[in-house]
Amino acid sequence: MTGRPVGAPQNSAGLPLVGSKGNSRPSGEPREAGTGVRTPVARLGHFQGAVITAVWIIAPILATAAVQLAATAAAWLLRAREEALRRQLPYIVALAVGVLLATALLHLLPEAIEQLGNHALTWLLTGAAMIALFAAERLFFVISGTGAEPEIGEPCAEHHHQHTPQGARPGSLILASMLHSFVDGAAVAVAFLASPRIGWLTALAISLHEIPHRMGDFALLVHLKVPLPRALRLTLYAGLPSFLGVAAVLLAGAHSVATIAWLLPISAGSFLYIATVNLLPELEREKRLSRVLLQIACLCVGAGLVMAVGGLGG
Protein backbone atom coordinates (compact mmCIF):
# COMPACT_ATOMS: atom_id res chain seq x y z
CA MET A 1 0.00 0.00 0.00
CA THR A 2 1.24 3.45 -0.86
CA GLY A 3 -1.09 5.42 1.34
CA ARG A 4 -2.51 7.27 -1.68
CA PRO A 5 -5.71 9.17 -0.90
CA VAL A 6 -8.85 7.78 -2.52
CA GLY A 7 -9.65 9.55 -5.76
CA ALA A 8 -6.16 10.94 -6.37
CA PRO A 9 -5.47 11.19 -10.13
CA GLN A 10 -3.21 8.45 -11.44
CA ASN A 11 -1.19 7.81 -14.56
CA SER A 12 -1.38 4.71 -16.77
CA ALA A 13 1.04 2.86 -14.48
CA GLY A 14 -1.10 3.55 -11.42
CA LEU A 15 1.24 6.26 -10.12
CA PRO A 16 -0.20 9.60 -8.95
CA LEU A 17 0.22 12.64 -11.15
CA VAL A 18 2.74 15.05 -9.72
CA GLY A 19 1.21 18.27 -8.47
CA SER A 20 -2.29 16.76 -8.43
CA LYS A 21 -4.67 17.84 -5.75
CA GLY A 22 -4.96 15.37 -2.92
CA ASN A 23 -1.47 13.98 -3.38
CA SER A 24 0.42 13.70 -0.12
CA ARG A 25 4.13 12.91 -0.41
CA PRO A 26 6.88 12.19 2.03
CA SER A 27 9.44 14.96 2.08
CA GLY A 28 12.28 14.60 -0.41
CA GLU A 29 10.20 12.62 -2.92
CA PRO A 30 11.00 13.46 -6.58
CA ARG A 31 8.45 15.77 -8.12
CA GLU A 32 8.03 18.69 -10.50
CA ALA A 33 6.69 21.42 -8.27
CA GLY A 34 3.74 23.47 -9.43
CA THR A 35 2.89 21.37 -12.49
CA GLY A 36 0.53 18.54 -13.35
CA VAL A 37 3.32 16.63 -15.09
CA ARG A 38 3.83 13.12 -13.87
CA THR A 39 7.15 11.90 -12.51
CA PRO A 40 7.84 8.18 -13.18
CA VAL A 41 9.62 7.58 -9.88
CA ALA A 42 7.04 9.30 -7.67
CA ARG A 43 6.05 7.36 -4.54
CA LEU A 44 8.82 4.78 -4.96
CA GLY A 45 11.71 4.09 -2.64
CA HIS A 46 15.19 5.21 -3.61
CA PHE A 47 16.23 1.76 -4.87
CA GLN A 48 13.00 1.19 -6.77
CA GLY A 49 13.19 4.70 -8.17
CA ALA A 50 16.74 4.12 -9.37
CA VAL A 51 15.69 0.89 -11.11
CA ILE A 52 12.71 2.55 -12.80
CA THR A 53 14.84 5.50 -13.89
CA ALA A 54 17.47 3.13 -15.36
CA VAL A 55 14.77 1.25 -17.27
CA TRP A 56 13.28 4.47 -18.64
CA ILE A 57 16.72 5.52 -19.85
CA ILE A 58 17.60 2.16 -21.40
CA ALA A 59 14.19 1.52 -23.04
CA PRO A 60 14.25 4.43 -25.53
CA ILE A 61 17.86 3.61 -26.41
CA LEU A 62 16.96 -0.02 -27.12
CA ALA A 63 13.86 1.01 -29.08
CA THR A 64 15.88 3.48 -31.17
CA ALA A 65 18.53 0.83 -31.83
CA ALA A 66 15.80 -1.58 -32.99
CA VAL A 67 14.37 1.06 -35.34
CA GLN A 68 17.77 1.74 -36.90
CA LEU A 69 18.61 -1.96 -37.17
CA ALA A 70 15.34 -2.68 -38.98
CA ALA A 71 15.86 0.24 -41.37
CA THR A 72 19.45 -0.71 -42.16
CA ALA A 73 18.50 -4.38 -42.63
CA ALA A 74 15.80 -3.32 -45.10
CA ALA A 75 18.39 -1.35 -47.09
CA TRP A 76 20.69 -4.41 -47.10
CA LEU A 77 17.87 -6.69 -48.30
CA LEU A 78 17.16 -4.24 -51.11
CA ARG A 79 20.37 -5.43 -52.77
CA ALA A 80 19.21 -9.03 -53.13
CA ARG A 81 15.41 -8.82 -53.24
CA GLU A 82 14.78 -5.48 -54.86
CA GLU A 83 11.82 -6.47 -57.01
CA ALA A 84 9.96 -8.25 -54.20
CA LEU A 85 10.53 -5.36 -51.80
CA ARG A 86 9.45 -2.83 -54.42
CA ARG A 87 6.11 -4.60 -54.83
CA GLN A 88 5.47 -4.73 -51.07
CA LEU A 89 6.70 -1.23 -50.22
CA PRO A 90 3.41 0.64 -50.90
CA TYR A 91 1.66 -1.60 -48.37
CA ILE A 92 4.37 -0.96 -45.77
CA VAL A 93 3.89 2.77 -46.39
CA ALA A 94 0.10 2.43 -45.98
CA LEU A 95 0.61 0.51 -42.74
CA ALA A 96 2.97 3.25 -41.55
CA VAL A 97 0.38 5.94 -42.30
CA GLY A 98 -2.20 4.16 -40.17
CA VAL A 99 0.22 3.65 -37.28
CA LEU A 100 1.50 7.24 -37.40
CA LEU A 101 -1.96 8.80 -37.52
CA ALA A 102 -3.35 6.59 -34.77
CA THR A 103 -0.33 7.11 -32.51
CA ALA A 104 -0.57 10.89 -32.92
CA LEU A 105 -4.35 11.18 -32.55
CA LEU A 106 -5.06 8.46 -29.98
CA HIS A 107 -1.97 8.66 -27.77
CA LEU A 108 0.42 11.59 -28.18
CA LEU A 109 -2.22 14.34 -28.42
CA PRO A 110 -4.44 12.96 -25.62
CA GLU A 111 -1.35 12.60 -23.42
CA ALA A 112 -0.34 16.20 -24.21
CA ILE A 113 -3.84 17.46 -23.37
CA GLU A 114 -3.89 15.45 -20.14
CA GLN A 115 -0.59 16.92 -18.97
CA LEU A 116 -0.80 20.45 -20.41
CA GLY A 117 -4.55 20.99 -20.60
CA ASN A 118 -6.83 21.52 -23.58
CA HIS A 119 -5.49 24.99 -24.27
CA ALA A 120 -4.88 26.88 -27.50
CA LEU A 121 -1.11 26.70 -26.95
CA THR A 122 -1.18 22.87 -27.01
CA TRP A 123 -2.82 22.89 -30.44
CA LEU A 124 -0.65 25.78 -31.60
CA LEU A 125 2.48 23.73 -30.91
CA THR A 126 1.04 20.84 -32.93
CA GLY A 127 0.35 23.08 -35.92
CA ALA A 128 3.65 24.92 -35.51
CA ALA A 129 5.54 21.60 -35.66
CA MET A 130 3.88 20.78 -38.99
CA ILE A 131 4.65 24.23 -40.42
CA ALA A 132 8.25 24.09 -39.15
CA LEU A 133 8.85 20.70 -40.78
CA PHE A 134 7.42 21.94 -44.07
CA ALA A 135 9.58 25.06 -43.96
CA ALA A 136 12.71 23.06 -43.07
CA GLU A 137 12.17 20.56 -45.89
CA ARG A 138 11.49 23.24 -48.49
CA LEU A 139 14.44 25.40 -47.45
CA PHE A 140 16.76 22.39 -47.40
CA PHE A 141 15.61 21.43 -50.89
CA VAL A 142 16.16 24.94 -52.25
CA ILE A 143 19.62 25.24 -50.68
CA SER A 144 20.97 21.74 -51.33
CA GLY A 145 18.90 20.49 -54.25
CA THR A 146 18.11 17.33 -52.24
CA GLY A 147 14.76 16.56 -50.65
CA ALA A 148 14.69 15.72 -46.96
CA GLU A 149 12.42 12.80 -47.88
CA PRO A 150 13.61 10.59 -50.76
CA GLU A 151 11.11 9.11 -53.18
CA ILE A 152 9.91 5.93 -51.53
CA GLY A 153 7.23 4.78 -53.89
CA GLU A 154 9.81 3.43 -56.34
CA PRO A 155 12.91 2.24 -54.49
CA CYS A 156 14.55 0.72 -57.55
CA ALA A 157 17.68 2.57 -58.52
CA GLU A 158 16.78 2.55 -62.20
CA HIS A 159 13.56 4.46 -61.50
CA HIS A 160 15.29 7.30 -59.72
CA HIS A 161 16.43 9.03 -62.90
CA GLN A 162 12.92 10.46 -63.12
CA HIS A 163 12.83 11.76 -59.54
CA THR A 164 16.40 12.69 -58.60
CA PRO A 165 16.69 16.45 -58.09
CA GLN A 166 19.26 18.23 -60.21
CA GLY A 167 22.48 18.75 -58.26
CA ALA A 168 21.65 16.12 -55.65
CA ARG A 169 24.78 14.99 -53.81
CA PRO A 170 25.36 12.04 -51.43
CA GLY A 171 26.56 14.40 -48.70
CA SER A 172 23.40 16.50 -48.86
CA LEU A 173 21.21 13.40 -48.86
CA ILE A 174 22.92 11.94 -45.78
CA LEU A 175 22.80 15.29 -43.95
CA ALA A 176 19.04 15.48 -44.54
CA SER A 177 18.64 11.91 -43.28
CA MET A 178 20.73 12.68 -40.20
CA LEU A 179 18.52 15.63 -39.30
CA HIS A 180 15.48 13.43 -39.82
CA SER A 181 16.97 10.69 -37.61
CA PHE A 182 17.66 13.19 -34.82
CA VAL A 183 13.98 14.18 -34.79
CA ASP A 184 12.94 10.50 -34.80
CA GLY A 185 15.15 9.68 -31.81
CA ALA A 186 13.83 12.67 -29.89
CA ALA A 187 10.24 11.60 -30.61
CA VAL A 188 10.91 8.10 -29.25
CA ALA A 189 12.47 9.46 -26.06
CA VAL A 190 9.62 11.94 -25.49
CA ALA A 191 7.07 9.17 -25.90
CA PHE A 192 8.87 6.85 -23.45
CA LEU A 193 9.05 9.58 -20.82
CA ALA A 194 5.29 10.03 -21.16
CA SER A 195 4.49 6.30 -20.99
CA PRO A 196 6.28 3.05 -21.92
CA ARG A 197 3.22 1.97 -23.92
CA ILE A 198 3.27 5.18 -25.96
CA GLY A 199 7.03 4.81 -26.32
CA TRP A 200 6.85 1.39 -27.95
CA LEU A 201 3.96 2.46 -30.18
CA THR A 202 5.99 5.48 -31.28
CA ALA A 203 9.01 3.27 -32.00
CA LEU A 204 6.79 0.99 -34.11
CA ALA A 205 5.39 3.97 -36.02
CA ILE A 206 8.85 5.40 -36.69
CA SER A 207 10.28 2.05 -37.77
CA LEU A 208 7.50 1.55 -40.33
CA HIS A 209 8.24 5.00 -41.71
CA GLU A 210 12.02 4.68 -41.47
CA ILE A 211 12.21 1.39 -43.41
CA PRO A 212 10.99 2.82 -46.75
CA HIS A 213 12.83 6.07 -46.03
CA ARG A 214 16.17 4.28 -45.58
CA MET A 215 15.52 2.09 -48.62
CA GLY A 216 14.92 5.25 -50.65
CA ASP A 217 18.20 6.70 -49.36
CA PHE A 218 20.09 3.56 -50.35
CA ALA A 219 18.56 3.36 -53.82
CA LEU A 220 19.27 7.03 -54.48
CA LEU A 221 22.90 6.67 -53.35
CA VAL A 222 23.35 3.76 -55.73
CA HIS A 223 21.84 5.83 -58.52
CA LEU A 224 24.37 8.58 -57.71
CA LYS A 225 27.16 6.04 -58.46
CA VAL A 226 28.12 5.45 -54.81
CA PRO A 227 29.65 1.93 -54.46
CA LEU A 228 27.32 -0.53 -52.73
CA PRO A 229 29.45 -1.08 -49.58
CA ARG A 230 29.89 2.67 -49.08
CA ALA A 231 26.19 3.31 -49.75
CA LEU A 232 25.27 0.83 -47.03
CA ARG A 233 27.73 2.45 -44.60
CA LEU A 234 26.29 5.88 -45.32
CA THR A 235 22.75 4.69 -44.65
CA LEU A 236 24.00 3.28 -41.35
CA TYR A 237 25.69 6.58 -40.44
CA ALA A 238 22.47 8.43 -41.31
CA GLY A 239 20.72 6.73 -38.40
CA LEU A 240 23.30 7.50 -35.71
CA PRO A 241 22.00 11.01 -34.82
CA SER A 242 18.81 9.37 -33.57
CA PHE A 243 20.75 8.45 -30.43
CA LEU A 244 21.73 12.10 -30.03
CA GLY A 245 18.03 12.94 -30.17
CA VAL A 246 17.35 10.44 -27.39
CA ALA A 247 20.21 11.86 -25.30
CA ALA A 248 19.02 15.45 -25.78
CA VAL A 249 15.51 14.65 -24.57
CA LEU A 250 16.73 12.59 -21.61
CA LEU A 251 19.04 15.41 -20.55
CA ALA A 252 16.20 17.92 -20.87
CA GLY A 253 13.96 15.64 -18.82
CA ALA A 254 16.60 15.29 -16.12
CA HIS A 255 16.71 19.08 -15.85
CA SER A 256 12.94 19.60 -15.86
CA VAL A 257 10.17 17.05 -16.30
CA ALA A 258 7.82 19.86 -17.35
CA THR A 259 9.96 20.44 -20.46
CA ILE A 260 9.10 16.98 -21.77
CA ALA A 261 5.36 17.59 -21.64
CA TRP A 262 5.69 20.49 -24.08
CA LEU A 263 7.43 18.18 -26.57
CA LEU A 264 4.41 15.85 -26.78
CA PRO A 265 2.28 18.07 -29.07
CA ILE A 266 5.39 18.75 -31.18
CA SER A 267 5.91 14.99 -31.63
CA ALA A 268 2.24 14.60 -32.53
CA GLY A 269 2.55 17.37 -35.12
CA SER A 270 5.62 15.74 -36.66
CA PHE A 271 3.78 12.40 -36.96
CA LEU A 272 0.76 14.08 -38.58
CA TYR A 273 3.03 15.89 -41.04
CA ILE A 274 4.98 12.77 -42.01
CA ALA A 275 1.80 10.73 -42.50
CA THR A 276 -0.19 13.30 -44.46
CA VAL A 277 2.51 15.18 -46.41
CA ASN A 278 5.37 12.69 -46.91
CA LEU A 279 3.64 9.32 -47.09
CA LEU A 280 0.02 9.65 -48.26
CA PRO A 281 1.00 11.28 -51.60
CA GLU A 282 3.17 8.22 -52.31
CA LEU A 283 0.04 6.06 -52.24
CA GLU A 284 -1.80 8.21 -54.80
CA ARG A 285 0.32 6.84 -57.65
CA GLU A 286 -1.45 3.48 -57.65
CA LYS A 287 -4.27 3.24 -60.22
CA ARG A 288 -5.35 -0.40 -59.94
CA LEU A 289 -8.47 -0.87 -57.84
CA SER A 290 -7.37 -4.11 -56.17
CA ARG A 291 -4.10 -2.61 -54.97
CA VAL A 292 -5.76 0.62 -53.85
CA LEU A 293 -8.19 -1.42 -51.74
CA LEU A 294 -5.29 -3.39 -50.28
CA GLN A 295 -3.49 -0.15 -49.40
CA ILE A 296 -6.61 1.15 -47.65
CA ALA A 297 -6.87 -2.15 -45.79
CA CYS A 298 -3.23 -1.88 -44.68
CA LEU A 299 -3.83 1.68 -43.48
CA CYS A 300 -6.79 0.50 -41.40
CA VAL A 301 -4.76 -2.42 -40.05
CA GLY A 302 -2.05 0.00 -38.93
CA ALA A 303 -4.57 2.14 -37.06
CA GLY A 304 -6.27 -0.94 -35.64
CA LEU A 305 -2.94 -2.30 -34.43
CA VAL A 306 -2.31 0.86 -32.41
CA MET A 307 -5.84 0.73 -30.98
CA ALA A 308 -5.44 -2.94 -30.06
CA VAL A 309 -2.06 -2.47 -28.39
CA GLY A 310 -2.71 0.81 -26.64
CA GLY A 311 -6.46 1.00 -26.30
CA LEU A 312 -8.62 3.96 -27.27
CA GLY A 313 -8.69 5.41 -23.82
CA GLY A 314 -4.97 4.95 -23.09
Side-chain angles (χ1 to χ4, degrees), residues 34-294:
T35 72
V37 180
R38 65 191 65 181
T39 300
V41 296
R43 287 196 167 276
L44 293 174
H46 290 297
F47 175 75
Q48 290 175 297
V51 171
I52 294 295
T53 301
V55 170
W56 282 48
I57 290 174
I58 294 172
I61 295 174
L62 290 178
T64 301
V67 169
Q68 298 305 323
L69 179 63
T72 304
W76 175 262
L77 289 174
L78 185 62
R79 299 175 58 187
R81 303 183 180 182
E82 183 174 309
E83 184 60 29
L85 287 173
R86 185 180 68 83
R87 288 197 303 266
Q88 302 303 321
L89 198 54
Y91 309 120
I92 297 176
V93 171
L95 189 69
V97 170
V99 172
L100 286 165
L101 289 176
T103 301
L105 297 175
L106 300 181
H107 294 282
L108 292 175
L109 273 175
E111 189 74 16
I113 291 170
E114 179 183 345
Q115 297 200 29
L116 300 173
N118 191 10
H119 304 303
L121 184 57
T122 304
W123 297 98
L124 179 62
L125 285 173
T126 302
M130 300 178 72
I131 295 172
L133 284 173
F134 171 78
E137 287 189 358
R138 295 307 301 158
L139 289 173
F140 192 92
F141 174 79
V142 170
I143 293 171
S144 69
T146 302
E149 287 281 340
E151 296 287 342
I152 58 177
E154 296 284 0
C156 284
E158 59 264 27
H159 290 282
H160 273 279
H161 68 278
Q162 298 175 348
H163 306 298
T164 304
Q166 293 296 321
R169 297 180 298 275
S172 298
L173 176 67
I174 295 305
L175 177 60
S177 294
M178 285 181 166
L179 294 173
H180 186 96
S181 294
F182 180 88
V183 174
D184 286 345
V188 170
V190 167
F192 267 102
L193 290 176
S195 162
R197 183 193 70 246
I198 297 177
W200 288 113
L201 286 172
T202 299
L204 172 63
I206 288 177
S207 66
L208 288 173
H209 163 57
E210 195 65 16
I211 285 172
H213 184 180
R214 197 65 57 81
M215 291 169 68
D217 282 348
F218 180 77
L220 186 51
L221 287 170
V222 172
H223 175 71
L224 293 173
K225 311 301 183 184
V226 176
L228 286 177
R230 182 165 180 258
L232 187 62
R233 286 198 304 272
L234 288 175
T235 57
L236 178 62
Y237 298 157
L240 295 180
S242 61
F243 295 99
L244 295 179
V246 172
V249 169
L250 293 178
L251 288 174
H255 180 264
S256 172
V257 178
T259 303
I260 301 304
W262 292 105
L263 296 177
L264 287 169
I266 295 175
S267 294
S270 69
F271 276 30
L272 292 173
Y273 178 85
I274 291 169
T276 57
V277 177
N278 291 147
L279 299 185
L280 275 178
E282 295 291 335
L283 302 179
E284 294 177 355
R285 299 175 181 178
E286 185 58 66
K287 305 300 182 184
R288 281 165 287 193
L289 178 61
S290 60
R291 295 190 177 184
V292 169
L293 292 175
L294 187 54

